[in-house]
Amino acid sequence: MAQVISNSGHDDMIHDAVLDYYGRRLATCSSDKTIKIFEVDGDQHRLQETLKGHEGAVWCVSWAHPKFGTLLASSSYDGRVHIYRESPSTLPSTPATWSQVFASTLHTASVNMVSWAPPDLGCLLACASSDGQVSVLEFRDNQWGHTIFQAHGMGVNAVSWAPSGGLPGAIARKAGSDGQTGGVRRFVTGGSDNEVKVWQWDGQQSTYTQMLSLPDGHTDWVRDVAWSPTLLSKTYIASASQDKSVKIWTSTNPGDISSWQLATTLRDFGDAVLWRVSWSLSGNVLAVSGSDGKVSLWKENLKGTWECVREITE
């Protein structure tokens, strides 16, 4: 019988909590080295599964698009990335089962974040590590492959994919006769070298190459980055930093290095170190959270000025 749970069931601090594509499942992860999956029904949560296997704190969980099945990726202080899959039950009376289908051991230090690419680019998972490298795992031809490259000298804290459709205002192109999608594989990373960098897939070199380091950047560690998910008239990248500021860059043509400009620096956060930035699905509202437990929502007005439209406190 479903019941409201007053606590998470974790034995230590929770680091991430993410709803799946349909909003019916909640995955949480913790310093207790476990991941818990809850079924969500209105305001009720029912624990469905506890996933084990990591040997350190689990920092991040991320659901793949449902076109690839029910896949959940996790990253941990143990330097590993795990991918779990739910298999439907064969009998109506028995529950579905979860199993670990892949473990990446490419990194030599904590993996701080994992992020799935837009689904029309393929089954791609970017992983940001304190060893300074980014790896991109790809499931093709029934097996997992990878690309790994040096990204930030002092460690990578965050990664976020660009929307796949190309130019802002454009509709994503359909796959060509060769089955390849028309979208561009591109993402942004934030590092402990205070830099925010944009990367793009180079098919000739079979790796991701740095397009640019965004101008007028931070003066301390970059804790999070977020590329706006919707192709509006402009595309936006936001970053949150240990320097207690959020920066927002814009471009009307993301493939043109010279088109990226710093639009604004938000500093109205008191003494809070800023941990996370996240765009709404519509791509025009930015949520910012920090060490003070507050979440603020920011929106650009008609004059191009970003203003706080709401603040949520615990």
Side-chain angles (χ1 to χ4, degrees):
M1 183 175 128
Q3 60 180 14
V4 177
I5 55 170
S6 57
N7 61 41
S8 67
H10 284 293
D11 298 329
D12 209 328
M13 183 180 290
I14 294 173
H15 298 292
D16 204 7
V18 185
L19 286 167
D20 72 355
Y21 183 83
Y22 299 110
R24 297 177 193 152
R25 302 272 185 81
L26 177 71
T28 60
C29 62
S30 165
S31 284
D32 68 9
K33 307 177 186 176
T34 71
I35 299 154
K36 291 186 181 288
I37 296 169
F38 299 89
E39 288 186 7
V40 180
D41 184 9
D43 59 356
Q44 296 190 323
H45 297 61
R46 185 175 66 84
L47 179 63
Q48 182 196 16
E49 190 71 68
T50 299
L51 302 175
K52 299 178 181 178
H54 281 295
E55 296 170 4
V58 187
W59 303 129
C60 181
V61 283
S62 183
W63 294 95
H65 189 276
K67 74 181 277 187
F68 303 117
T70 307
L71 290 179
L72 182 72
S74 61
S75 64
S76 168
Y77 181 76
D78 65 12
R80 297 165 72 96
V81 173
H82 288 177
I83 297 174
Y84 300 90
R85 178 189 287 277
E86 184 193 46
S87 302
S89 66
T90 52
L91 298 171
S93 57
T94 57
T97 56
W98 283 88
S99 58
Q100 183 183 312
V101 293
F102 186 72
S104 167
T105 56
L106 295 168
H107 293 284
T108 58
S110 173
V111 182
N112 301 313
M113 187 176 290
V114 284
S115 174
W116 292 99
D120 53 325
L121 295 179
C123 190
L124 298 163
L125 182 72
C127 315
S129 172
S130 291
D131 65 10
Q133 299 188 97
V134 169
S135 62
V136 179
L137 308 178
E138 179 175 14
F139 189 72
R140 276 183 71 179
D141 304 323
N142 220 27
Q143 61 183 359
W144 288 94
H146 72 268
T147 305
I148 187 166
F149 60 95
Q150 187 69 28
H152 294 264
M154 295 173 64
V156 195
N157 300 317
V159 58
S160 174
W161 289 85
S164 61
L167 295 177
I171 302 298
R173 289 177 295 231
K174 292 186 177 174
S177 58
D178 60 354
Q180 294 299 306
T181 54
V184 178
R185 295 184 180 186
R186 189 182 287 151
F187 53 78
V188 59
T189 57
S192 300
D193 56 3
N194 313 343
E195 302 238 14
V196 178
K197 297 178 179 180
V198 177
W199 305 84
Q200 184 168 309
W201 174 253
D202 183 333
Q204 290 184 323
Q205 298 187 49
S206 295
T207 189
Y208 291 84
T209 58
Q210 183 181 334
M211 286 178 62
L212 79 158
S213 183
L214 289 174
D216 307 307
H218 289 284
T219 58
D220 208 334
W221 286 22
V222 180
R223 288 289 184 184
D224 198 17
V225 289
W227 200 312
S228 60
T230 313
L231 291 166
L232 304 171
S233 59
K234 290 185 285 191
T235 189
Y236 300 87
I237 290 175
S239 61
S241 171
Q242 197 88 12
D243 68 11
K244 303 171 185 173
S245 76
V246 165
K247 289 181 181 281
I248 300 172
W249 290 268
T250 62
S251 168
T252 54
N253 179 8
D256 176 9
I257 294 172
S258 63
S259 72
W260 283 99
Q261 294 181 327
L262 180 65
T264 190
T265 302
L266 308 176
R267 299 187 186 278
D268 306 330
F269 305 101
D271 285 331
V273 168
L274 301 175
W275 290 97
R276 298 300 293 267
V277 279
S278 178
W279 293 101
S280 63
L281 285 178
S282 58
N284 62 348
V285 177
L286 182 70
V288 179
S289 60
S291 57
D292 58 0
K294 295 178 181 176
V295 177
S296 53
L297 303 180
W298 298 79
K299 193 170 183 180
E300 189 177 16
N301 63 25
L302 294 174
K303 296 177 182 175
T305 304
W306 288 82
E307 51 192 18
C308 183
V309 294
R310 193 172 171 201
E311 191 170 276
I312 307 156
T313 53
E314 289 183 341

